[in-house]
Amino acid sequence: MLADIIDRRQIKTDAESLAIWGKDWTNGFNVAPSAVVFPETNQQVVDIVHYAIKAGLRLVPSGGRTGLSGGAVAERGEVVVSFDRMNQILDFNAEDRLVTCQAGVITQVLQEFAAAQQLFYPVDFASAGSSQMGGNVATNAGGIKVIRYGLTRDWVAGLRAVTGTGALLDCNNGLVKNATGYDLRHLLIGSEGTLGLITEVDVRLAAQPEPQTVMVVGVPQVLDLLNVLNCFNSQVTLSAFEFFSDLALQKVRAHRDLPAPLADAVAYYALLEFDASAMDAASTAFEQCLNQGWVVDGVVSQSQAQADALWQLREGISESIAPYTPYKNDLSVCIHDVPDFLADVDRFVAESYPDFEVCWYGHIGDGNLHLNILRPEHLSVEEFMAKGHAMSPKIFELVRARGGSISAEHGVGLLKRDFLNYSRSEQEIALMQGLKQLFDPHQILNPGKLLAAGV
Ligand code: 2HG
Ligand code: ZN
């Protein structure tokens, strides 16, 4: 019946397509969409929503499907709305440094477009080659340069979105200043497709940075990661400050056949990136860290190829551990709390789940830790996921105790939905439910994500 409102060539219902577009990178959820539609214009998205209201369909927006919280999983006969065919860059204005993209523009395509204008789109992460701008906005994607450039939210100057009533909202129109009340743009950013289907984004671009240098240092004590951060921060403008444990390094090296960065293994590694012109200041900071015993060794890129190779050690981790179907956590606490929090979690897992391997890495410069618990071979995916769910409340209790977040950058989706109260108060959740009701009174937009369905 969808063919009444959209060309048949824009609809897929074969089993293979349903399996592909019915999920993102998240494992462990049922995948059962009834169809996938590929709109090409804002008006077609409006038509799909009106049709869904009439026919009682529910819609799951789908971008590059790189999400890790089940935000783009269609579990129960929903129609997936894929933005793959809304992949055009529509406009660019040099004075405003603004580029207007359809939601399906791939992150890397935008980055390359910006570079061709001698400008820079600074939000970056390992999945830039397949993630789409609409999904980035819907999850307020973070990534590896947040410490210097902020999150996706900071670069969205306007957007168009279709609400659950079929209204096409045009929010903020690229304005720098606009003091006319509630900024609905910011409500839609990070709303995970529950308030509206984002169709277009006006993205602000930055000046191109100078060439970057990458340094990887070995840090024996987790506590000292913060000392290293402080020491560099006081002398160098950092573009990235990432960390990974030796276990994470072993996995990514084995997976990609990469050489060790340092002569000897160290418990933790920090990866720092900064403007090449700050190399002298960075060397001074490194010497100070060495003298204090905070770092024991380090390596510095001498070329872009070496910088890229060092980045692989960090950016390749997630992919390298995927075969272990890890139980994923994406946590944040205030930066000063990171070492104590990490020690709390390590202690808890070692005492309660001694046969589980814990793989730590993440954006420690933002207080964002990726905690991946690897599935032991003797457990099936289902058994392991059940154990993960049973473990989550204990870990989230530790997060709550420090006022942290149970989802720093991946979003709540299906995976964290039932734990939202560990990071949000009853009053906040009630307001979110009220907003959901206003934007999506028929409960058709990404049901069951972020908030329980039907609330
Ligand atoms: C990263 O920082 C991504 O590499 C993925 O956010 C993290 O796989 C993960 O847990
Ligand atoms: Zn991350």
Side-chain angles (χ1 to χ4, degrees), residues 314 363 370 409-410:
R314 166 64 187 88
H363 320 285
H370 295 310
E409 62 170 3
H410 294 167

Side-chain angles (χ1 to χ4, degrees), residues 409-428:
E409 62 170 3
H410 294 167
V412 175
L414 290 171
L415 194 63
K416 322 274 172 54
R417 181 195 68 201
D418 297 338
F419 305 107
L420 191 57
N421 62 323
Y422 284 87
S423 285
R424 293 306 194 96
S425 68
E426 236 175 78
Q427 292 89 335
E428 282 180 300

